[in-house]
Amino acid sequence: MDKMIYKCKGTGRLWTAFCLLAAMALLASCSTTRKLADGEMLYVGVKKMDIVAPEKVKLNSTQSSAASSPLSVKPNNSLYAPYLRSPFALGLWVYNWDIKREKGLKWWLYRKLAKEPVLISDVQPELRLKMVENNMKDFGFYGTRLSYEVIPKKRNPKKAHISYRVELPEPFRYGSIELWEWLPAMDSIIRPSMPFSELKPGDRYDVNLLNEERQRISERLRNHGYYFFQPDYIEFLVDTTAGNKTADVRIALKQGVPANALRPYRLENVEVLLTGNDGDGGRDSLWVDSVKIVYEPPINLKPNVLMRAVKVRPGQIYSAARQSRTQANFVQLGVFKFANMTITASDTLKPQGLDMQIRGDFALPIETDVEVDVSSKSNNLLGPGLTLSVTNRNMFKRAENFSVRLTGSYEWQIGGRKQASGNSGLMNSYELGINFNLSVPRLLVPRFLQAKRDRSEQTNFQVGTDLMNRHSYFRMISFWGNATYDFNSSTRNYHSIVPFKLNYTYLLKTSVAFDSVTMRNPTVAQSFSNQFIPSMSYTYTYDRAATYRNPNRLYWQTSITQAGNIIAGLQKLFGNDKKEGKLFLNNRYSQFLKLTTEFITYKSVDNNNQLAFRLMGGIGYAYGNSTVMPYSEQFYIGGANSIRAFQVRNIGPGSYHPEETQYSYLDQTGDIKIEANLEYRFTIYENFKGAFFLDAGNVWLLRSEEQRPGGQFSLKGLLDELAFGTGLGLRYDFSFIVVRADLGVPLHAPYDTGKSGYYNIPDKFLKGLVLNIAIGYPF
């Protein structure tokens, strides 16, 4: 650099230090390699990384990471390792300062900011390729061809990239798989389970699958009494002499396995110890179904509830699965601070007996919570919220959880839609509510409906009331109550049945402007009318967690709801054949069917990258006593968890688009919803994540409405009526919570904007951007 002029104006010690730092950085910025010795080269990242697999061989995310991770060394001032660096190499600039004395501000800055350069010799590309070779052997790739090239930069030969090439050969595959020389009793337990083995002839050789098979066999033996057996006692004898890249596997016991691991055990004594009862310090005991219960009087949990949670009994063959289920049941009761289990060899004369103690320490019976939060919604409402709750963990001494929650929130309209007067204005809203909830850790159904198999069950009863005030809109009060049965039929299948739910809404007050909107649109008026919503529903959820063999999680949830049919049927039975206008307790009630479904899949690209896809939809049909579904049951779209390039309730139904006023969102709902979301998630740096996303969807009406032209669903022109947007998201993962900012870019509006072509957004590019701030992932 021939000449540099730097002027700094300001006062104060901190400002002087900042100016000095800036000046020194600029002066040193011409060189980040000045202190390198002859022959040393600064590593500036990976230029190219080619991992070539044979045709028809696809690497999963774990295998891809095993090949790429050893080569992905971060250079100095890494931005997106190992390919992209920040142009501001502050640490290297400071490192290249001339330090003449080890004191003063310059020395302090040097110690705080200087970063030693990452050299090519530090990266050791030969060693890293050797690591890749060893990693890929674990997946059956023997004879991998590896090469690298150091590529100096033309402008500064002391800086260099590295390019890698990894050529994988055809992998070894499993040939025959057999048990080898097990004890007859153990063989008889394992052999029937071999059809469920993770090892399949013809599959690629994979050390991780061998480890999973170790774990599977060990668990099966431990569920049949072999308490002391461990996965490390299993070895695999692999024979590759057959040729054709085939590995025959024999599953055998290791030599020197302890004798106690080779015999099954039974439970001799089972004891439940209950502590933390704040009694007088004394202890008492009772026996239930051969299980000894030791407690501090008075006992605060009914023995039959306790024994329903205990899945082990004296005389049973030991089972690790029953032990785990018992501990999980104790935790799920919700009355214990902690629950643990200890198992010891029985002190009886029986050498193959075990004693089990289950200890539960009671938590405080009454719990109070105070929650204060500030919410920022996608409809531009901002404000604080307060929740007060009191919970009795053991209401009737059967582990019933009874809670009372008081909620309140206050919100301001901070922007978005204009008011009727054309000014943004300040719009205040508040909500108040009280909720009573009783949760029982079992299904309260007749005995003949109770399942004999072990599963997670819960019954919930809720009643509550909410007061909602929307300034310049309306004031509404609602009363509601429901009963819910939740249970699972397997580790992947979950069910929720709501046999009864009753909701009553009553408009206390409306504004003149709001009334004018409802008068112009009778459909909207009916959806806001005072009415009962008696309903029942069923929700099925399938959740397949990611596993090593299949790292792609799959989630599917479908719900069906019907409202009013039982009351309508009873009224018809007693002679009321009116099609519309039927009353219940002197108020009209709703009658409709509603179906919703959501499909989500997560595909792992590698350890730091994931592709997430969601497809969801729904349809609601009002009939009989209703011509339109209640407003709370209608579909809407847009916002932070939907189509992020459009604000909530800002599009639809169909190609309909109302004049922009503060009330226009009221009629932007529909009976049909279709939405699709695609998101590519990646790691930027440690807990700092990023995402690119595409969103599409809309809502439609089942019936044509004169007040909302273009809103009816039709296959003709469907693609043009799908709102479409893209964008970029930034997220920070605190491990317990994810803070998210998504910047949406609208690409296509489903209504006539006055512009031709698919990109028909009327606003200038920057003005059309939509920023969404939210907590958690959108799906």
Side-chain angles (χ1 to χ4, degrees):
M1 182 176 291
D2 296 329
K3 186 177 181 181
M4 177 178 290
I5 298 175
Y6 185 85
K7 295 183 179 180
C8 185
K9 295 182 179 181
T11 60
R13 178 179 267 174
L14 184 61
W15 181 256
T16 303
F18 172 76
C19 292
L20 181 62
L21 175 61
M24 290 178 176
L26 287 171
L27 288 170
S29 62
C30 296
S31 175
T32 55
T33 58
R34 186 164 55 86
K35 286 189 176 182
L36 296 186
D38 291 341
E40 290 184 334
M41 302 181 75
L42 179 68
Y43 168 70
V44 294
V46 172
K47 185 75 171 179
K48 194 175 183 182
M49 188 188 301
D50 290 329
I51 300 174
V52 183
E55 189 178 357
K56 297 183 180 180
V57 173
K58 187 177 181 181
L59 303 182
N60 62 30
S61 58
T62 302
Q63 294 162 351
S64 295
S65 294
S68 61
S69 293
L71 309 179
S72 301
V73 181
K74 294 181 180 179
N76 291 98
N77 53 288
S78 172
L79 195 61
Y80 183 64
Y83 301 102
L84 187 62
R85 298 170 66 224
S86 166
F88 304 104
L90 180 62
L92 286 177
W93 294 342
V94 176
Y95 178 83
N96 281 276
W97 285 353
D98 287 324
I99 303 297
K100 296 181 180 179
R101 55 178 184 169
E102 295 184 357
K103 61 180 180 178
L105 177 62
K106 187 175 180 180
W107 170 244
W108 180 82
L109 291 172
Y110 181 85
R111 288 189 298 112
K112 293 296 183 181
L113 301 177
K115 299 293 183 183
E116 290 191 13
V118 180
L119 306 177
I120 295 292
S121 57
D122 296 327
V123 177
Q124 297 180 285
E126 299 94 340
L127 177 61
R128 295 194 170 275
L129 286 174
K130 190 67 177 176
M131 293 169 62
V132 172
E133 183 180 21
N134 292 334
N135 285 351
M136 300 316 291
K137 285 180 180 178
D138 289 345
F139 303 105
F141 296 99
Y142 286 81
T144 301
R145 297 176 61 184
L146 307 154
S147 62
Y148 76 94
E149 181 184 3
V150 177
I151 307 172
K153 298 191 75 171
K154 293 181 180 179
R155 295 183 62 181
N156 187 350
K158 284 199 169 187
K159 296 181 180 180
H161 288 92
I162 301 178
S163 286
Y164 295 99
R165 184 172 178 84
V166 178
E167 296 183 45
L168 300 174
E170 283 291 337
F172 275 81
R173 298 183 180 273
Y174 294 120
S176 62
I177 299 168
E178 58 179 322
L179 297 176
W180 184 255
E181 296 184 349
W182 286 77
L183 297 178
M186 302 175 85
D187 188 285
S188 65
I189 294 171
I190 302 170
R191 193 170 295 278
S193 72
M194 290 307 292
F196 304 100
S197 170
E198 293 291 336
L199 307 180
K200 306 291 184 185
D203 283 359
R204 275 186 275 167
Y205 178 87
D206 191 328
V207 167
N208 293 286
L209 292 180
L210 297 181
N211 291 333
E212 286 197 358
E213 183 65 4
R214 271 197 185 99
Q215 190 67 36
R216 188 192 69 83
I217 292 175
S218 177
E219 287 180 359
R220 184 164 180 84
L221 289 172
R222 283 173 54 79
N223 286 335
H224 286 77
Y226 291 82
Y227 172 72
F228 293 101
F229 195 87
Q230 298 179 20
D232 290 341
Y233 298 156
I234 300 172
E235 67 177 356
F236 296 96
L237 308 175
V238 181
D239 180 10
T240 60
T241 59
N244 296 324
K245 296 276 187 175
T246 299
D248 296 324
V249 179
R250 291 177 175 178
I251 307 173
L253 273 172
K254 283 184 178 178
Q255 296 295 320
V257 175
N260 63 357
L262 301 177
R263 57 175 179 256
Y265 287 77
R266 287 184 179 273
L267 296 176
E268 292 298 319
N269 300 294
V270 177
E271 179 183 274
V272 177
L273 176 61
L274 304 179
T275 59
N277 200 27
D278 294 333
D280 57 8
R283 289 187 176 180
D284 203 348
S285 63
L286 57 89
W287 291 83
V288 179
D289 200 9
S290 301
V291 175
K292 184 179 181 181
I293 303 176
V294 181
Y295 62 94
E296 299 171 356
I299 188 168
N300 283 336
L301 194 62
K302 298 289 185 182
N304 63 327
V305 175
L306 194 64
M307 295 310 298
R308 192 181 295 117
V310 177
K311 299 301 179 182
V312 294
R313 297 290 187 272
Q316 288 179 344
I317 287 286
Y318 168 79
S319 167
R322 283 196 290 264
Q323 176 187 344
S324 298
R325 187 60 191 154
T326 297
Q327 188 162 9
N329 287 346
F330 265 60
V331 173
Q332 290 172 4
L333 284 176
V335 300
F336 296 112
K337 191 187 321 180
F338 67 84
N340 56 35
M341 307 178 74
T342 57
I343 298 177
T344 57
S346 178
D347 57 3
T348 64
L349 297 177
K350 297 182 179 180
Q352 293 175 231
L354 298 173
D355 292 338
M356 178 182 290
Q357 184 188 72
I358 310 161
R359 181 180 176 182
D361 190 75
F362 281 104
L364 293 175
I366 304 297
E367 179 185 57
T368 58
D369 283 322
V370 179
E371 298 178 14
V372 180
D373 62 73
V374 176
S375 63
S376 175
K377 300 181 181 178
S378 52
N379 57 358
N380 298 303
L381 287 175
L382 172 71
L386 177 67
T387 300
L388 305 175
S389 64
V390 179
T391 303
N392 188 323
R393 299 176 183 272
N394 192 17
M395 186 69 176
F396 305 112
K397 295 186 177 182
R398 294 178 179 272
E400 298 92 346
N401 188 304
F402 179 75
S403 64
V404 180
R405 289 169 58 91
L406 295 172
T407 59
S409 64
Y410 193 84
E411 297 171 332
W412 296 272
Q413 181 83 19
I414 58 174
R417 300 176 183 273
K418 295 181 179 180
Q419 296 197 29
S421 61
N423 299 318
S424 243
L426 178 66
M427 204 167 64
N428 305 326
S429 301
Y430 63 83
E431 291 185 34
L432 299 172
I434 184 170
N435 173 23
F436 300 89
N437 181 78
L438 178 65
S439 178
V440 182
R442 58 193 176 276
L443 295 186
L444 298 181
V445 294
R447 186 177 296 273
F448 70 91
L449 291 177
Q450 295 176 1
K452 295 182 179 179
R453 59 183 294 182
D454 182 33
R455 65 185 185 186
S456 177
E457 300 177 341
Q458 193 168 57
T459 303
N460 290 290
F461 299 98
Q462 285 188 321
V463 293
T465 181
D466 290 297
L467 175 65
M468 178 188 299
N469 182 80
R470 289 288 180 258
H471 180 72
S472 300
Y473 289 75
F474 56 81
R475 185 178 300 154
M476 175 186 290
I477 190 170
S478 62
F479 303 91
W480 49 270
N482 65 68
T484 306
Y485 296 119
D486 296 318
F487 60 94
N488 69 307
S489 54
S490 72
T491 56
R492 295 181 177 180
N493 297 277
Y494 303 86
H495 311 267
S496 180
I497 299 174
V498 182
F500 172 78
K501 181 178 181 180
L502 183 62
N503 194 326
Y504 175 67
T505 58
Y506 183 79
L507 273 173
L508 297 171
K509 180 182 178 181
T510 59
S511 67
V512 174
F514 179 81
D515 290 339
S516 66
V517 173
T518 55
M519 288 178 63
R520 290 195 304 269
N521 195 329
T523 302
V524 173
Q526 186 175 342
S527 68
F528 272 95
S529 63
N530 302 334
Q531 59 187 309
F532 281 102
I533 310 174
S535 64
M536 56 194 307
S537 64
Y538 167 72
T539 300
Y540 167 75
T541 303
Y542 175 84
D543 191 354
R544 188 192 69 195
T547 62
Y548 174 73
R549 180 176 281 276
N550 190 349
N552 304 322
R553 182 187 172 195
L554 179 65
Y555 177 90
W556 176 47
Q557 185 175 84
T558 294
S559 178
I560 184 169
T561 303
Q562 71 83 20
N565 286 348
I566 293 178
I567 294 178
L570 290 174
Q571 289 181 337
K572 186 172 183 179
L573 186 65
F574 288 97
N576 187 347
D577 289 331
K578 293 173 60 180
K579 291 185 177 181
E580 291 185 35
K582 288 179 285 188
L583 303 180
F584 175 68
L585 299 180
N586 293 323
N587 280 273
R588 190 165 181 159
Y589 62 87
S590 294
Q591 198 171 358
F592 63 87
L593 284 174
K594 183 179 179 181
L595 175 68
T596 61
T597 189
E598 181 180 36
F599 173 85
I600 304 175
T601 182
Y602 305 90
K603 180 177 177 57
S604 295
V605 179
D606 55 38
N607 290 342
N608 294 314
N609 297 270
Q610 184 187 65
L611 192 66
F613 173 73
R614 175 175 69 175
L615 179 64
M616 61 187 303
I619 183 170
Y621 176 64
Y623 61 96
N625 206 42
S626 302
T627 58
V628 62
M629 289 195 301
Y631 193 80
S632 60
E633 297 291 339
Q634 295 179 23
F635 298 107
Y636 62 91
I637 207 162
N641 297 318
S642 181
I643 303 180
R644 285 157 281 186
F646 296 88
Q647 293 182 1
V648 65
R649 290 188 176 93
N650 203 30
I651 48 177
S655 61
Y656 169 71
H657 187 64
E659 180 183 352
E660 287 286 338
T661 70
Q662 71 176 107
Y663 302 102
S664 56
Y665 85 97
L666 291 173
D667 55 1
Q668 294 200 258
T669 59
D671 308 313
I672 299 173
K673 178 178 180 177
I674 299 175
E675 183 179 334
N677 313 91
L678 182 66
E679 189 167 277
Y680 184 80
R681 300 169 181 171
F682 54 90
T683 299
I684 298 174
Y685 180 75
E686 294 183 351
N687 293 336
F688 193 49
K689 316 288 184 179
F692 296 108
F693 57 84
L694 294 171
D695 301 322
N698 204 345
V699 295
W700 292 268
L701 303 173
L702 271 176
R703 304 177 177 93
S704 176
E705 292 184 12
E706 182 180 349
Q707 295 81 9
R708 293 188 280 182
Q712 187 177 18
F713 179 81
S714 174
L715 291 177
K716 184 178 180 181
L718 178 63
L719 294 180
D720 289 332
E721 292 185 359
L722 290 174
F724 186 52
T726 185
L728 171 68
L730 297 177
R731 295 93 192 266
Y732 192 86
D733 189 349
F734 290 94
S735 73
F736 61 93
I737 196 172
V738 175
V739 179
R740 170 169 58 96
D742 290 337
L743 185 64
V745 181
L747 299 178
H748 177 72
Y751 50 85
D752 183 9
T753 65
K755 294 185 67 174
S756 60
Y758 190 78
Y759 181 79
N760 62 349
I761 306 303
D763 297 324
K764 293 182 179 180
F765 180 79
L766 291 179
K767 188 178 179 182
L769 300 180
V770 178
L771 179 63
N772 302 276
I773 308 295
I775 302 297
Y777 288 102
F779 57 92

